[in-house]
Amino acid sequence: MMETVAVTRDTSKKPELHYLNNGYSVASWLLTKDHKRIAMLYLMSVSFFFMLGGIFAALIRLELMTPNSDLLEAGTYNRVFTAHGVIMVFLFLIPAIPATLGNFFVPLMIGAKDLAFPRINLLSWYLYMAGGLIAAYALMNGGVDTGWTFYVPYSTTFSNGWVLVTGLGAFVIGFSSILTGLNFIVTIHTMRAPGMTWFRLPLFIWSHYATSLIMILGTPVVAITILLLALERVAKIGIFDPAIGGDPILFQHLFWFYSHPAVYIMVLPSMGIISELIANFSRKRIFGYEFVAFSSIAIAVIGFLVWGHHLFVSGQSVYAALVFSILTLVVAIPSAVKTFNWTATLYKGSISYDTPMLYAFSFLGLFLIGGLTGLFLGTAGMDIHLSDTYFIIAHFHYVMVGSTVIGYLGGLHYWWSKMTGKQYSEFWGKISAMLVFVGFNLTFFPQFILGYLGMPRRYASYAEELQVLNIFSTAGAGVLAVGMIMPVIYLTMSLINGKDAGDNPWHLPGLEWRTSSPPPTENFYEPPVVTWEAYDFSEDNGLEPKKEVAKETV
Amino acid sequence: MQNNSWIPLFPDQASSFAWQVDALYFYIIAVCLFFGIGVVIAVFWFAMKYRETEKYASPEEIHGSNVLEITWTAIPFIIAMTIFVFGTYVFFTLYRMPADATEVYVVGKQWMWKFQHETGQREINELHIPVNTKIKLVMTTEDVIHDVFIPAFRTKADVVPGRYTYLWFEATKPGKYHLYCAEYCGLNHSGMGGWVYVMEQRDYDNWLAGNVSNQTPVEAGQDLFQNKLGCASCHQDTGSGRGPSLKGLFGKDQKLSNGQTIKVDESYIHESILNPQAQIAEGFQPIMPTFKGQVTEDQINQLVAYIKSLNPSAANSTGSNSTAKPNAPAANTATKPPATTNTNTNTTVKPAANTASNARGNK
Amino acid sequence: MSDTHAHDYHPPGLQHQFEDMKQQEESNTIGMWMFLAQEIMFFGGLFTAYLIFRSRYPMAFAAGSNHLDAFLGGLNTLVLIVSSLTMALTVYYAQKGNRNLQVIMIILTMIFGSVFLVVKAVEYTDKYNHGLVPFATWNKKTKGEAEHAKTEEPKEVKHFFASEGGEKKAGGAEAEHHYVNTTGEFQWNDWEKTDELIKEAQQGNFLTDAEKIGYFSNGEFDKEKFTGRVRIFYWIYFAMTGLHGLHMIVGLGMMLWLLIMAWRNTYSAEYYTPVEISGLYWHFVDIVWIFLFPLLYLLGRHFLH
Amino acid sequence: MADNHDNHDEHEQHEHMNIPKYIGIFLVLVVGTILTYVTAQWNLDVIFPGANTLLALLIAFTKMSCVVLFFMHVYWNGKLIWLTVVGSFVFLAIMFAFTMQDYLTRGAGIFTK
Ligand code: HEA
Ligand code: HEA
Ligand code: CUA
Ligand SMILES: [Cu+2]
């Protein structure tokens, strides 16, 4: 690694064209095959659905302020939490990181010009939009009141026909997700820049690789399950309905075969971002790179063996429950390895407290709580009491909001300057990061207690003595909402009046920082050649000497 | 829940194995604190100690340490396995049915629980059991999946259509405990619940023998309507339930789906309860189940009294407790022994104690 | 966007995001394999359902399966295998750059693919006529015995148990009134054989717990219940073969496109990835059938003796 | 291009197969089909229950292997393709096995009433 290859462009001449100003027409966006533009399309649509889901969350919390169902009637409430769950999971969280940040940065970080199949990439966005709009339409128009899990036989025999439409939406989105995963795997295999060996890949790439595996192997199963659900609904053909020989538990098996791995689709990319943030903001190579990389794969693979932990109380065989229980506790180990390695990376680093790093710290704390409470649920004997209570709600919000959404926000802040060329307000960034952290804990920590007290989930009205804790939770949600709305505002503002961020504001070694901000359509001016390890902050990492950069920016 | 503190933190511990579940809970909490506090302290400490002093520094490279990696893979693994063993033990205790238990049959139905004791008593949304006796619930459902959940006993199990599932417990403390449906089952899922009454054996025997009510008929009828029979799960005052609102019904002319009009009097209500398919109110589906065999004539009278009270003007006109002439009561009482569900428990049910539960079923 | 870069050494057919043809081919091949992995799991969900229900209701499955025409199923297997051969040869000739043989092989593949679908259509029609479509009211509605006997009978007897020769034909007269189906509901009429099966199973004590509940009411064999379980077999049959047929149709579309490209002499020893990956897809669809055939058509054959 | 070690050079595979070999594989498949058909008529379940199905699946598996290895050229492909093929089947097997373990052990042993 002696020789240094300059892959940065000649900084003296500003690029005339980058991906954002390379065409302004609507068609140049809607028919684009540029992964960066598609990522931006995704960013906008995903944010839209997030806000929609957020509004439903607000309704839930407002209703739960009082024990009676007074703000929303039970029927409405049921539709609201279903809409909240479906939108947040299928329309927001699953595509959130892979399809936006992943889409944008996977090619950049491995030194490719684009993803392997740009047209398929665009197709996947259209599928996503089609499915998303269909589902959103059904959820808001007729309303579906099954919960996001669509358990049979309620969904096939009792709930209304919009279940079918929502299912269709989820089916279509499923294929969008499969295509994204397929594109990533191929790209990571074949399109790495010369010198970018597997063990020089940034960990963000590893986690996306693992995520893609799940997308490809898991999503088709939920697709076929939804198809069967539709068949059952339309034709009453005895797949799930016990009255005619079917089996309702089969649905749960098939559903969770996908949906448990899907929770790792949500969290793995976020873990990838956290690896980036922690390494880059403590300016150190990640501790135990190989272990962090392989733990992603391990989570993806073992994650397929544990779905039965959602069925502990469902009437599945108790022996099966025990097998699933032990495997669930095993799948926690790779996460543990990751957590410890992140912590160790901080050791002897040079840690800065920029906004993205604040999010990374939040992640560590919240993932710890979310993950560790997963251990309660993975223990069969414990889960009997906790299943379908607010303990579950709190657990998965800690991992889905506290870890994934926060990782996503951290990544968004981290790469915002690369994506847009603009710098957001660091001041507001820090304020909102802290509000989110505080608001989040206030919202969801009381729910653990509520859960242990025995407040069942999906309840429009609850026992009176539980009101105090619920009020805390609602109050926290208010703070959380403010914290979440702020980035929307100041990030948008930065587009209008933000300072130019410069190509590499933090002087980081990753490939994505060695091109201009925003990057040109083909990503790099010269095809990059990689001669350094990931997170190489030493002097010979091919970047300009840090002294000069420091002078330039100070 | 009888937890009277301002913020309840911990549910009642009222079954023989509740302490085991709690012990497991505290054990896992201890494990979590051990790892959680460790990691948090390390993060804080590193973050403070190694905060940036020089911009764009190149701190010393550390590649990792296999010894550390193996340590922090092995230790959590071993601890996780201890959790598993402990958890499995508790799981066995909870889900392994004792051979010598008293059986209670449970049928879930949107949105009520129906219980039947070995001795033939039926109850709805209430379960009376003696203390210190092993009870085994043999459960199934008429429609969708439900879930019997009694937090104070720390146990629950889904009730699955088309087959039987089982649950057992041995209550250790007399009292009144929440009974919930914990598997989402549609519109009134959150109203599908009631109470488990754990009674001293003597009280239980009394209850079995049937006792006189100390409630007024209207109160007793309200209790039946809201809680015990689960009428309110369909008949809500707002009219948004699956059945018509019964507010102000009494004394009105009711249109039936066959085009006829009928005056709502005691016998109409009586008929509606025992033989609901006979006269279908216009605009509704004939889905109301018959309550034949589950209510005594006494109780029907109480219900009638209550429904009347929903229309103050009508209640005045007819005055006191009705003694409506039932059309075919003889057949009922002949087939089912009269000692069925009783309106009363001599332990805890007082009108005042009902308000909490009313709030849940009621708007 | 591909016009913004100025590398002039691009061979035709090389997409802008790739460095060279080799990278592109590799990407396409891996991409197709990933897609096939996805397909395996897609069908896998159905196979799981098959597994569950077959293990619950083996007798109903055997009975339902015996009603399928194993001869036509076997024929179709052979047809698909031939088409797989011609597909493999298409790739072979594409690699050799032999345009004419390539075109011929593609056409042959398409012909065999179509034959498969035609045979499938014949089978579906047969099920339709016999009231074996598991969708309520989607079957042929037959009015009365007299009319029915006139129009339908000869053909039916032929297909019924075609595999076991004339032995079963005796049931023909009886079969006449079996197929009265005024509402188009799912029907099961082969009680004679069924009774034998059940009796055998009862004697040998083969019945699964699910079957003891699933076929009997109060200890009596319940025809209605049994019909319901056979219907489960038929929805699996229709779901699986239907999905497979859909894949065949997509495959034929791909073949058509290949045909046009091959006709234009696009493929050569240097550039034949599209042929190759279409071939992968075709073979995959073939493989699915290789499993469907024994699992659906043959699973209860040995009970017939 | 990055390191290639996990992918073979696919240009070389047509050296491996020729017309007679293709026909040979084809014949194996035909024989396999006929064999499946014939053995299905025998009652092998007297040997042990499920023997018929097992045999049919074994034949099907062999046929599939022939198609995958030779018609789809996996035999000459790189590690990655092998891994994909084997991996997909492993995951399929997981789905089967873990679902079945529930159904097969329900209500068994000490938990029955
Ligand atoms: C991003 C999403 C996400 C993630 C990452 C997880 C992670 C985990 N989840 Fe969670 N889960 C959900 C989303 C998620 N979950 C959702 C949405 C539901 C409910 C769905 C519904 O019903 O609607 C759910 C429900 C759920 C259940 C079912 C409960 C029930 O319904 O009865 C269970 C049971 O086992 C479970 C367990 C786990 C475990 C063990 C992990 C593990 O992966 C966690 C691993 C992490 C750690 C353990 C922390 C770090 C480790 C250490 C600091 C070292 C110490 C460790 C040891 C001693 C082992 N989850
Ligand atoms: C990605 C997944 C995700 C995310 C991000 C969230 C975010 C939130 N969720 Fe939810 N949630 C689920 C996934 C998610 N949830 C799922 C899967 C279920 C189960 C559903 C089921 O049972 O089927 C569920 C269920 C669920 C429940 C239980 C309902 C019940 O069982 O009865 C509750 C109750 O408190 C809740 C609350 C919240 C809150 C307060 C937030 C907050 O974090 C939201 C904060 C964000 C915003 C507020 C958006 C940003 C702001 C705006 C767009 C401006 C407009 C907003 C206001 C004016 C307030 N969620
Ligand atoms: Cu019954 Cu929820
Ligand atoms: Cu899970």
Side-chain angles (χ1 to χ4, degrees):
Chain A
M1 219 182 309
M2 288 289 92
E3 138 203 48
T4 10
V5 183
V7 290
T8 38
R9 80 205 145 94
D10 181 356
T11 34
S12 58
K13 71 171 196 277
K14 266 274 162 200
E16 321 75 46
L17 270 186
H18 52 73
Y19 83 101
L20 285 174
N21 64 11
N22 184 1
Y24 290 98
S25 63
V26 174
S28 78
W29 278 92
L30 291 185
L31 299 178
T32 183
K33 282 182 233 102
D34 182 349
H35 67 103
K36 297 181 288 303
R37 286 197 163 198
I38 297 173
M40 291 314 248
L41 291 176
Y42 260 118
L43 180 64
M44 285 183 272
S45 17
V46 156
S47 306
F48 168 74
F49 285 121
F50 178 54
M51 292 184 194
L52 202 62
I55 290 171
F56 283 116
L59 284 176
I60 295 180
R61 279 318 326 164
L62 287 175
E63 157 61 35
L64 292 180
M65 233 167 19
T66 54
N68 297 341
S69 66
D70 30 27
L71 175 70
L72 306 173
E73 275 181 1
T76 320
Y77 181 80
N78 296 344
R79 286 175 169 73
V80 165
F81 74 68
T82 305
H84 170 69
V86 171
I87 289 176
M88 284 300 199
V89 170
F90 292 112
L91 276 59
F92 169 63
L93 207 55
I94 287 178
I97 299 179
T100 59
L101 298 174
N103 221 335
F104 202 106
F105 288 101
V106 165
L108 273 168
M109 289 169 100
I110 64 174
K113 289 187 211 156
D114 203 322
L115 286 173
F117 308 114
R119 256 178 285 182
I120 289 186
N121 195 14
L122 182 63
L123 173 67
S124 96
W125 181 72
Y126 274 103
L127 286 178
Y128 167 74
M129 283 312 279
L133 292 176
I134 292 174
Y137 176 79
L139 290 167
M140 319 242 305
N141 233 279
V144 177
D145 63 346
T146 57
W148 81 282
T149 46
F150 301 114
Y151 272 15
V152 294
Y154 183 72
S155 62
T156 49
T157 38
F158 290 87
S159 189
N160 62 29
W162 291 101
V163 174
L164 214 59
V165 186
T166 316
L168 177 71
F171 185 79
V172 174
I173 293 176
F175 282 96
S176 144
S177 178
I178 292 172
L179 294 181
T180 306
L182 192 151
N183 228 332
F184 283 165
I185 289 208
V186 175
T187 307
I188 296 170
H189 266 287
T190 64
M191 299 185 64
R192 283 167 284 131
M196 181 59 96
T197 58
W198 283 97
F199 290 103
R200 284 179 180 169
L201 287 174
L203 289 164
F204 185 71
I205 305 295
W206 275 99
S207 66
H208 270 75
Y209 189 84
T211 308
S212 308
L213 282 180
I214 306 177
M215 286 174 162
I216 288 184
L217 293 169
T219 319
V221 178
V222 82
I224 200 78
T225 313
I226 292 174
L227 215 62
L228 292 182
L229 183 81
L231 273 179
E232 171 91 359
R233 236 204 115 87
V234 174
K236 296 259 176 295
I237 50 187
I239 311 167
F240 303 129
D241 185 355
I244 38 181
D247 180 34
I249 312 277
L250 175 62
F251 176 85
Q252 297 178 21
H253 276 296
L254 291 175
F255 180 84
W256 290 113
F257 179 85
Y258 164 74
S259 292
H260 179 80
V263 308
Y264 296 121
I265 294 184
M266 306 172 202
V267 85
L268 277 171
S270 179
M271 290 171 156
I273 291 176
I274 297 307
S275 301
E276 295 292 311
L277 293 181
I278 292 196
N280 284 323
F281 286 88
S282 42
R283 306 190 69 77
K284 281 203 40 220
R285 188 177 198 271
I286 199 114
F287 191 90
Y289 173 97
E290 293 83 1
F291 291 90
V292 180
F294 281 123
S295 62
S296 294
I297 308 290
I299 290 177
V301 172
I302 307 174
F304 273 99
L305 304 175
V306 306
W307 77 81
H309 64 213
H310 296 271
L311 284 76
F312 283 156
V313 299
S314 71
Q316 98 178 320
S317 149
V318 285
Y319 300 103
L322 292 180
V323 173
F324 283 123
S325 174
I326 193 168
L327 286 165
T328 302
L329 292 166
V330 168
V331 79
I333 305 300
S335 302
V337 169
K338 270 187 199 291
T339 313
F340 296 134
N341 278 302
W342 287 326
T343 312
T345 305
L346 297 171
Y347 178 66
K348 291 199 174 172
S350 167
I351 301 163
S352 64
Y353 293 103
D354 295 309
T355 309
M357 190 60 172
L358 291 189
Y359 278 110
F361 283 134
S362 302
F363 176 100
L364 282 183
L366 301 180
F367 178 69
L368 211 58
I369 301 182
L372 288 170
T373 50
L375 297 180
F376 291 77
L377 308 177
T379 311
M382 192 72 241
D383 185 65
I384 292 178
H385 178 57
L386 295 175
S387 189
D388 275 314
T389 64
Y390 265 71
F391 198 95
I392 310 289
I393 304 283
H395 155 70
F396 71 70
H397 282 90
Y398 264 86
V399 268
M400 299 213 291
V401 188
S403 314
T404 309
V405 175
I406 279 184
Y408 171 64
L409 287 173
L412 204 60
H413 284 83
Y414 172 52
W415 280 310
W416 187 252
S417 67
K418 183 52 66 182
M419 295 165 80
T420 64
K422 303 290 186 187
Q423 186 57 273
Y424 56 85
S425 153
E426 193 56 38
F427 172 76
W428 287 111
K430 284 184 177 154
I431 300 267
S432 92
M434 288 191 255
L435 275 182
V436 168
F437 183 78
V438 172
F440 178 83
N441 281 297
L442 190 53
T443 312
F444 292 107
F445 201 84
Q447 296 186 359
F448 284 123
I449 303 169
L450 282 173
Y452 202 77
L453 283 167
M455 174 169 169
R457 59 190 286 202
R458 297 170 172 171
Y459 262 32
S461 54
Y462 54 88
E464 258 173 357
E465 64 266 28
L466 302 175
Q467 185 173 12
V468 181
L469 286 164
N470 271 294
I471 287 179
F472 276 122
S473 182
T474 302
V479 179
L480 179 59
V482 173
M484 293 273 193
I485 295 169
M486 279 167 56
V488 180
I489 297 170
Y490 66 76
L491 287 180
T492 317
M493 291 296 285
S494 79
L495 294 181
I496 302 163
N497 60 9
K499 285 202 299 270
D500 268 354
D503 291 351
N504 191 354
W506 289 295
H507 199 59
L508 301 173
L511 261 185
E512 80 271 29
W513 297 108
R514 301 183 187 222
T515 183
S516 60
S517 301
T521 298
E522 295 242 307
N523 291 349
F524 298 94
Y525 294 87
E526 291 292 326
V529 177
V530 181
T531 58
W532 60 90
E533 305 282 302
Y535 320 112
D536 180 355
F537 290 90
S538 61
E539 299 288 342
D540 57 0
N541 62 4
L543 287 173
E544 295 148 66
K546 62 178 184 198
K547 302 272 154 30
E548 280 157 43
V549 192
K551 238 179 282 158
E552 214 176 90
T553 33
V554 165
Chain B
M1 230 148 296
Q2 295 171 330
N3 203 321
N4 290 326
S5 62
W6 182 56
I7 304 180
L9 293 175
F10 212 71
D12 280 327
Q13 220 186 42
S15 72
S16 58
F17 46 55
W19 70 271
Q20 291 185 7
V21 178
D22 290 342
L24 177 59
Y25 185 57
F26 289 121
Y27 175 60
I28 307 179
I29 288 183
V31 170
C32 291
L33 288 179
F34 173 72
F35 284 103
I37 292 182
V39 171
V40 168
I41 288 182
V43 168
F44 262 98
W45 189 52
F46 293 157
M48 290 300 150
K49 179 143 186 226
Y50 302 110
R51 57 186 306 170
E52 184 175 69
T53 48
E54 171 202 359
K55 235 177 166 25
Y56 310 138
S58 304
E60 172 198 349
E61 271 196 32
I62 305 173
H63 273 244
S65 146
N66 286 347
V67 177
L68 270 181
E69 299 288 349
I70 290 168
T71 319
W72 65 44
T73 308
I75 291 179
F77 179 77
I78 293 166
I79 293 183
M81 288 307 112
T82 63
I83 298 180
F84 171 73
V85 172
F86 195 169
T88 303
Y89 178 78
V90 175
F91 187 67
F92 270 48
T93 318
L94 266 62
Y95 267 12
R96 189 173 172 181
M97 299 305 144
D100 53 345
T102 311
E103 293 193 353
V104 175
Y105 290 88
V106 182
V107 178
K109 175 184 173 359
Q110 282 173 327
W111 292 281
M112 56 170 92
W113 290 112
K114 301 196 262 190
F115 298 96
Q116 185 172 20
H117 293 262
E118 274 177 344
T119 43
Q121 276 84 358
R122 293 166 187 267
E123 10 181 9
I124 287 180
N125 287 346
E126 286 191 347
L127 177 61
H128 291 79
I129 51 164
V131 73
N132 294 331
T133 310
K134 293 196 181 108
I135 306 285
K136 175 175 170 192
L137 304 183
V138 179
M139 312 183 292
T140 189
T141 151
E142 289 178 16
D143 35 47
V144 302
I145 304 179
H146 303 275
D147 185 303
V148 171
F149 176 31
I150 306 161
F153 296 171
R154 308 284 188 282
T155 190
K156 72 158 73 70
D158 275 11
V159 178
V160 184
R163 52 185 279 221
Y164 285 99
T165 52
Y166 310 95
L167 195 64
W168 85 278
F169 43 78
E170 179 182 340
T172 51
K173 234 167 63 180
K176 177 184 174 200
Y177 305 104
H178 278 293
L179 162 76
Y180 290 120
C181 172
E183 185 64 73
Y184 179 71
C185 53
L187 180 68
N188 212 8
H189 163 61
S190 57
M192 177 169 172
W195 299 95
V196 176
Y197 296 94
V198 178
M199 307 195 275
E200 298 291 356
Q201 189 66 45
R202 182 171 34 87
D203 297 335
Y204 180 71
D205 293 338
N206 272 342
W207 176 80
L208 279 185
N211 230 326
V212 201
S213 167
N214 55 3
Q215 291 168 312
T216 69
V218 172
E219 280 167 355
Q222 180 177 20
D223 192 25
L224 285 170
F225 194 85
Q226 306 282 12
N227 307 315
K228 299 203 175 123
L229 297 178
C231 314
S233 67
C234 295
H235 295 287
Q236 293 167 353
D237 286 354
T238 53
S240 63
R242 299 196 302 180
S245 161
L246 301 185
K247 213 172 190 165
L249 174 77
F250 196 85
K252 292 262 162 61
D253 285 334
Q254 173 68 37
K255 262 205 143 122
L256 300 182
S257 62
N258 59 11
Q260 290 173 344
T261 307
I262 191 163
K263 184 163 161 58
V264 177
D265 55 9
E266 285 86 351
S267 53
Y268 173 73
I269 293 176
H270 188 280
E271 183 74 0
S272 288
I273 296 171
L274 290 184
N275 201 1
Q277 316 302 6
Q279 294 149 326
I280 308 292
E282 193 185 22
F284 288 89
Q285 296 298 314
I287 49 166
M288 173 162 163
T290 172
F291 285 80
K292 228 181 239 173
Q294 296 174 41
V295 288
T296 59
E297 288 301 321
D298 279 350
Q299 289 174 324
I300 294 181
N301 291 345
Q302 288 159 347
L303 279 170
V304 170
Y306 170 66
I307 292 171
K308 265 199 228 163
S309 77
L310 294 175
N311 188 354
S313 54
N316 288 342
S317 66
T318 346
S320 65
N321 294 346
S322 115
T323 45
K325 272 261 130 38
N327 295 341
N332 296 332
T333 30
T335 44
K336 284 279 167 280
T340 47
T341 333
N342 234 297
T343 52
N344 175 17
T345 70
N346 37 15
T347 47
T348 18
V349 189
K350 303 246 154 37
N354 278 333
T355 44
S357 59
N358 289 352
R360 286 174 51 258
N362 207 3
K363 301 238 99 188
Chain C
M1 246 109 288
S2 56
D3 44 346
T4 51
H5 65 94
H7 305 292
D8 37 0
Y9 56 86
H10 267 194
L14 178 61
Q15 286 160 316
H16 79 105
Q17 71 271 27
F18 297 113
E19 292 301 326
D20 50 32
M21 286 310 276
K22 198 164 150 303
Q23 194 186 26
Q24 173 168 338
E25 284 167 18
E26 210 182 318
S27 300
N28 287 336
T29 314
I30 300 177
M32 181 45 93
W33 275 106
M34 288 302 147
F35 182 74
L36 294 186
Q38 181 275 131
E39 289 278 38
I40 289 178
M41 297 311 283
F42 194 61
F43 278 100
L46 281 177
F47 276 103
T48 311
Y50 171 90
L51 195 66
I52 300 287
F53 286 115
R54 172 153 176 212
S55 66
R56 289 188 144 194
Y57 307 121
M59 289 304 143
F61 266 54
S65 165
N66 285 340
H67 238 279
L68 296 178
D69 193 326
F71 174 73
L72 287 185
L75 182 72
N76 252 353
T77 315
L78 290 178
V79 166
L80 265 195
I81 287 175
V82 181
S83 84
S84 245
L85 175 70
T86 56
M87 187 67 237
L89 291 177
T90 310
V91 180
Y92 179 79
Y93 287 120
Q95 290 168 340
K96 288 264 179 311
N98 187 335
R99 171 199 177 248
N100 291 349
L101 278 174
Q102 227 186 108
V103 169
I104 291 177
M105 285 303 158
I106 296 177
I107 293 179
L108 280 178
T109 311
M110 291 179 71
I111 290 178
F112 285 110
S114 313
V115 169
F116 177 89
L117 286 177
V118 170
V119 174
K120 204 78 234 150
V122 170
E123 288 189 71
Y124 276 8
T125 319
D126 189 54
K127 301 293 154 313
Y128 170 78
N129 288 334
H130 286 72
L132 290 175
V133 180
F135 290 80
T137 73
W138 281 26
N139 287 291
K140 183 180 177 114
K141 299 189 176 79
T142 47
K143 293 240 176 50
E145 286 160 51
E147 187 192 336
H148 178 76
K150 243 185 287 154
T151 50
E152 281 309 319
E153 218 36 57
K155 193 165 138 250
E156 273 160 8
V157 180
K158 203 169 82 229
H159 282 289
F160 225 33
F161 294 108
S163 55
E164 356 151 25
E167 179 204 327
K168 254 292 117 185
K169 286 213 172 101
E174 207 183 18
E176 239 169 86
H177 61 92
H178 281 169
Y179 303 134
V180 177
N181 190 354
T182 48
T183 50
E185 286 298 327
F186 181 82
Q187 278 200 352
W188 179 250
N189 297 304
D190 191 23
W191 292 116
E192 198 183 328
K193 201 76 214 166
T194 307
D195 288 343
E196 217 171 286
L197 263 182
I198 297 296
K199 215 166 286 155
E200 200 175 313
Q202 266 177 319
Q203 276 156 11
N205 221 354
F206 303 144
L207 286 179
T208 63
D209 286 347
E211 286 181 304
K212 285 175 197 154
I213 302 167
Y215 306 157
F216 296 88
S217 298
N218 305 324
E220 289 290 305
F221 182 74
D222 183 334
K223 286 192 171 185
E224 205 174 305
K225 272 182 151 178
F226 188 81
T227 306
R229 307 309 180 253
V230 176
R231 184 157 172 251
I232 294 181
F233 172 80
Y234 274 96
W235 76 249
I236 291 188
Y237 166 80
F238 272 95
M240 290 185 127
T241 56
L243 203 64
H244 178 264
L246 221 59
H247 278 78
M248 290 293 295
I249 293 171
V250 172
L252 282 178
M254 270 158 90
M255 288 302 129
L256 194 64
W257 172 72
L258 270 192
L259 181 64
I260 295 168
M261 299 302 275
W263 186 264
R264 295 196 191 137
N265 212 353
T266 323
Y267 306 117
S268 62
E270 279 72 47
Y271 177 62
Y272 60 87
T273 341
V275 188
E276 182 168 336
I277 63 173
S278 314
L280 292 181
Y281 178 85
W282 192 269
H283 293 308
F284 168 78
V285 179
D286 181 25
I287 289 173
V288 173
W289 186 261
I290 287 180
F291 281 95
L292 287 185
F293 173 55
L295 288 181
L296 293 176
Y297 287 80
L298 299 179
L299 67 97
R301 289 289 140 185
H302 58 282
F303 288 126
L304 291 176
H305 296 271
Chain D
M1 244 322 284
D3 50 327
N4 269 316
H5 50 249
D6 52 356
N7 298 306
H8 259 237
D9 189 349
E10 279 153 23
H11 273 278
E12 275 155 30
Q13 58 189 232
H14 49 106
E15 306 300 320
H16 301 294
M17 285 298 276
N18 52 30
I19 305 266
K21 282 190 190 163
Y22 275 122
I23 305 276
I25 300 295
F26 169 71
L27 289 179
V28 172
L29 294 176
V30 173
V31 171
T33 307
I34 295 171
L35 210 62
T36 326
Y37 187 88
V38 173
T39 53
Q41 320 290 330
W42 305 340
N43 189 357
L44 301 177
D45 280 2
V46 291
I47 309 173
F48 60 89
N52 268 89
T53 312
L54 192 70
L55 182 66
L57 284 179
L58 275 181
I59 299 175
F61 205 80
T62 318
K63 285 163 72 182
M64 176 193 75
S65 308
C66 287
V67 175
V68 170
L69 290 179
F70 303 109
F71 281 6
M72 295 165 95
H73 307 301
V74 168
Y75 190 79
W76 298 279
N77 275 144
K79 268 190 281 180
L80 174 65
I81 306 293
W82 275 93
L83 202 67
T84 313
V85 175
V86 177
S88 319
F89 278 96
V90 168
F91 279 91
L92 196 63
I94 289 174
M95 179 154 66
F96 291 165
F98 276 65
T99 312
M100 279 317 278
Q101 67 150 349
D102 172 15
Y103 287 88
L104 295 181
T105 58
R106 262 194 213 162
I110 56 172
F111 290 94
T112 32
K113 71 171 200 148

